[in-house]
């Protein structure tokens, strides 16, 4: 567990991580966007629940929260979704129809508190209008990232994630070699379908992020990109020419656990 860190005006990352055996650490990030209508972004994994709730409500009072943006339904993003809805009686859950259906497989989501936001749509949250922009790669059909024009921050869900040896807050806290190695491992392993589509389509989707030209990119699974953040759009396009990450078999897994 690490302390929250501020990336922009009234914008905080709530960081944590899970181990990837034999590889390193996979960061898991949530966000708090304070403002006229405070918004929480994802809720970390179930194993992070106690520390997440403690940290997030040190930044914003539960009754002040007006929105909970869920990028997609995976458990490492929704580990405290119902606890937040219970503690934040004035909050509405931002998802889409696919995400709502997948959440409903496990949670009794109060439908009257749901706000559907599709890719390409915008939502007024008081002192800013956020825009839902799906990242170039993702592991759930319900995924949306969002762009906040007031702070010039783009949240990219799983895309642009990076496995690390140490959970640092910013990409420039790492060596360039370690950054690229971790980036390409995570994005090939987590978005395996990249191997089945033309590189031009990945570039086309990355161009949507280039068009808003964010000053910062926060990913749900890695350090924040603050110096030349659009370099990740170049990196993600290169994946199209790479092979998928080979996954370990049982013998290799046991060997890694033994430290051999």
């Amino acid at each position: 567990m690490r302390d929250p860190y501020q990336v922009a005006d009234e914008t905080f990352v709530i960081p944590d991580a899970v181990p990837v055996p034999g590889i390193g650490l996979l960061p898991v990030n949530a966000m708090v966007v304070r403002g006229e209508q405070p918004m929480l972004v994802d809720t970390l994994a179930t194993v992070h629940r106690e520390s997440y709730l403690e940290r997030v409500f040190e930044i914003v009072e539960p009754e002040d929260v007006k929105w909970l943006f869920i990028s997609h339904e995976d458990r490492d993003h929704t580990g405290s979704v119902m606890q937040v809805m219970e503690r934040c009686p004035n909050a509405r859950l931002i998802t889409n129809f696919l995400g709502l259906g997948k959440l409903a497989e496990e949670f009794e989501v109060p439908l009257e508190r749901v706000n559907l936001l599709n890719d390409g749509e915008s939502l007024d949250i008081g002192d800013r209008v956020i825009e839902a922009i799906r990242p170039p790669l993702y592991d759930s059909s319900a995924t949306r990232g969002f762009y906040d024009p007031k702070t010039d921050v783009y949240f990219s869900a799983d895309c642009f994630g990076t496995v690390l040896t140490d959970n640092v807050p910013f990409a420039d806290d790492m060596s360039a070699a370690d950054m690229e190695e971790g980036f390409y491992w995570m994005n090939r392993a987590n978005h395996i379908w990249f191997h089945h589509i033309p590189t031009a389509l990945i570039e086309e989707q990355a161009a949507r992020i280039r068009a808003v030209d964010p000053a910062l990119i926060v990913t749900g699974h890695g350090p924040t990109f603050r110096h030349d953040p659009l370099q990740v759009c170049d990196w993600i396009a290169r994946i199209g020419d790479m092979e998928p990450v080979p996954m370990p078999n049982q013998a290799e897994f046991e060997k890694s656990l033994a430290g051999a």
Side-chain angles (χ1 to χ4, degrees):
M1 181 182 76
R2 293 185 59 255
D3 291 336
Y5 60 95
Q6 188 167 358
V7 294
D9 184 40
E10 300 288 0
T11 304
F12 304 84
V13 172
I14 314 294
D16 227 302
V18 294
V20 182
I23 304 296
L25 290 173
L26 178 64
V28 184
N29 298 323
M31 291 177 65
V32 178
V33 180
R34 290 193 309 208
E36 185 177 323
Q37 297 178 16
M39 180 175 72
L40 308 185
V41 180
D42 288 345
T43 67
L44 300 185
T46 305
V47 295
H48 304 137
R49 180 177 295 162
E50 184 176 344
S51 63
Y52 166 77
L53 294 171
E54 178 181 347
R55 286 176 288 168
V56 77
F57 293 130
E58 287 177 352
I59 296 174
V60 61
E61 293 295 329
E63 60 271 18
D64 292 338
V65 175
K66 296 298 189 292
W67 305 97
L68 170 58
F69 180 98
I70 295 297
S71 64
H72 60 300
E73 78 289 345
D74 286 356
R75 292 306 303 274
D76 53 339
H77 298 261
T78 60
S80 296
V81 64
M82 294 310 295
Q83 287 72 24
V84 167
M85 295 299 285
E86 290 167 4
R87 296 194 188 189
C88 303
N90 301 313
R92 292 176 63 86
L93 175 67
I94 305 172
T95 183
N96 55 24
F97 196 69
L98 285 174
L100 177 61
K102 294 181 178 186
L103 288 170
E105 293 172 358
E106 182 171 1
F107 306 120
E108 293 186 9
V109 179
L111 299 183
E112 70 279 4
R113 296 176 62 189
V114 169
N115 192 108
L116 298 184
L117 184 67
N118 295 315
D119 179 41
E121 294 181 344
S122 298
L123 179 66
D124 188 335
I125 61 170
D127 56 355
R128 69 200 74 197
V129 176
I130 63 169
E131 179 184 357
I133 303 175
R134 186 170 55 205
L137 296 178
Y138 46 89
D139 66 355
S140 165
S141 55
T143 296
R144 296 102 56 254
F146 74 89
Y147 174 64
D148 178 353
K150 185 169 185 178
T151 56
D152 209 13
V153 171
Y154 174 66
F155 177 72
S156 63
D158 285 2
C159 195
F160 310 137
T162 307
V163 291
L164 310 172
T165 55
D166 183 30
N167 194 7
V168 297
F170 295 100
D172 49 283
D173 293 328
M174 302 173 58
S175 73
D178 287 347
M179 183 70 232
E180 288 202 36
E181 181 180 359
F183 179 93
Y184 286 123
W185 193 96
M186 163 61 185
N187 284 281
R188 287 184 296 150
N190 195 57
H191 314 120
I192 186 64
W193 56 270
F194 83 87
H195 194 53
H196 304 288
I197 63 171
T199 297
L201 292 182
I202 301 176
E203 294 174 335
E204 182 180 301
Q205 294 306 305
R208 300 179 64 202
I209 301 172
R210 292 185 186 280
V212 296
D213 193 21
L216 289 165
I217 293 180
V218 178
T219 169
H221 290 300
T224 295
F225 297 90
R226 60 181 174 179
H227 297 316
D228 189 21
L230 290 182
Q231 68 182 332
V232 297
C233 293
D234 296 329
W235 291 355
I236 208 70
R238 294 178 200 162
I239 283 181
D241 297 323
M242 298 180 180
E243 292 297 320
V245 173
M247 292 290 112
N249 58 29
Q250 180 62 23
E252 292 166 336
F253 180 60
E254 291 176 358
K255 186 177 180 179
S256 71
L257 292 180

